[in-house]
Structure formats: C-alpha cells, structure tokens
C-alpha cells in the first residue's frame, strides 16, 4: 500500500466515523466501518466514471 | 470516537490477518486502544479474518478511480472493475452474515471467493493500466 492509498483509506474511515457520530452512535464495529468506507469508495469510483464521460 | 477511529484505521491498514498484526497495530496507538480493538474485532474472529479483504476492495476502487482520473485506464475497464467489486462486496457481506448465523462452511467459502475476486480485480487493473 502506498502512503497515498493509506491516506485515502484513512479518509474513508473518517467519513464512516463521522456518519456514526452524526447518527449518535458512540461506537462502530470494524466490519460496519469498512462497509461504510467501501460505500464511499464506490461512490468516488462512480463519480470518476461519470467525469470520464461514462 | 477519535480513538476508535485511530484503532480502526490502524487495524485496517495493518491488514489484521493475524494476532500479531492486530496487536502490533493497536499497541502503536496507545494502551487504551488495545481494549477498543478487542471490542471492535476480537482477535482470531471471522471479522478480523475478512477485514483485509474489505480493505483490499476499498483500495481497488480508490486506485481504479485515481487511474481513471489520470487517464491510465479507460472507462470500460473502470466499469468492469466496479462490477467485479460490487459482486465481491455482495459475497463478502454474505460471508459475514453467514458467520453471524453460524453457517461456517458458507462463510468460509464466500470469504475465500471474495479474497480471490479482489486479487483478480487487482490483476485486471494492473494489466490494463498504461
């Protein structure tokens, strides 16, 4: 994993934690956090596809 | 939440495929973090086993998006990888659900299939990158 990828993953997990905070959850499970991070990554890839004219 | 986040990131980034990796990752964030990590994903649990595959899936999507933005892959490749990743996520989520339902055989089979899919997707991305 490159440093850039590590930062991107950390950012995705931060988004998952923010969402948990917003929902009033004091804790978030590892799998649920990773699922939320994947949801963010999926949306980002979809946006890149759209930008590329797909 | 910030402490838990730090642990999540450390565990995910380390891959947490083994007890040693999990403990190494958590120790580096401070003594309290070890307790949080144990709560989030018990050492040796199925969740700790599949976490690296989720991480690999996330990185596959992120790397694909970046390479598409850089013009290093075409849209068709990005779409194909998105489709593979979506299928992998479904299998992976089902593996977790099966484990929680006590269906060990289905959980293991799906976890193995998902891990193989991530490797396939990564290889496809490399093969088609300029």
């Amino acid at each position: 994993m490159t440093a850039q990828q590590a930062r991107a993953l950390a950012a995705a997990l931060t988004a998952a934690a923010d969402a948990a905070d917003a929902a009033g959850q004091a804790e978030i499970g590892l799998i649920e956090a990773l699922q939320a991070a994947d949801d963010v990554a999926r949306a980002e890839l979809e946006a890149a596809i759209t930008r590329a004219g797909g | 939440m910030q402490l838990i986040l730090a642990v999540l990131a450390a565990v995910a980034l380390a891959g947490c495929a083994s007890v040693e990796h999990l403990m190494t990752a958590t120790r580096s964030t401070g003594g309290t973090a070890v307790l949080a990590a144990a709560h989030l994903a018990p050492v040796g649990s199925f969740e700790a086993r599949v976490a690296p595959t989720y991480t690999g899936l996330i990185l596959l999507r992120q790397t694909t998006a970046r390479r598409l933005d850089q013009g290093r892959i075409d849209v068709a490749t990005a779409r194909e990888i998105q489709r593979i990743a979506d299928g992998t996520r479904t299998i992976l989520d089902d593996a977790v659900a099966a484990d929680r339902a006590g269906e060990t055989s289905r959980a293991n089979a799906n976890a193995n299939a998902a891990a193989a899919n991530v490797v396939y997707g990564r290889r496809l991305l490399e093969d088609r990158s300029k």
Side-chain angles (χ1 to χ4, degrees), chain B residues 75-119:
Chain B
V75 173
T77 297
R79 280 208 176 285
E80 187 171 352
I81 290 174
Q82 182 81 301
R83 183 184 56 77
I84 291 167
D86 286 346
T88 302
R89 171 66 185 276
T90 299
I91 294 169
L92 206 44
D93 287 353
D94 189 66
V96 172
D99 176 68
R100 289 174 178 171
E103 298 175 34
T104 306
S105 177
R106 181 162 65 96
N108 287 331
N110 282 346
N112 290 338
N117 274 5
V118 170
V119 171

Side-chain angles (χ1 to χ4, degrees), chain A residues 1 4-5 8-9 13 21 25 27-28 30 32 34-35 38-39 42 45-46 48-49 51-52 54, chain B residues 1 5 8-9 13 39-41 54-55 58-59 61-63 66 68-69 79 82 86 89 93 100:
Chain A
M1 179 186 301
Q4 186 179 23
Q5 288 173 325
L9 179 58
L13 287 171
D21 276 339
Q25 291 177 242
E27 296 182 3
I28 181 171
L30 175 61
E32 287 70 22
L34 290 172
Q35 288 170 335
D38 183 53
D39 290 342
R42 188 192 188 285
L45 176 52
E46 204 58 43
I49 289 171
R51 280 196 301 275
Chain B
M1 181 57 85
L5 171 64
L8 278 172
L13 294 174
H39 176 73
L40 289 165
Y54 275 104
T55 304
I58 294 162
L59 293 177
R61 292 198 210 260
Q62 290 176 338
T63 305
R66 190 166 57 254
L68 182 59
D69 283 339
R79 280 208 176 285
Q82 182 81 301
D86 286 346
R89 171 66 185 276
D93 287 353
R100 289 174 178 171

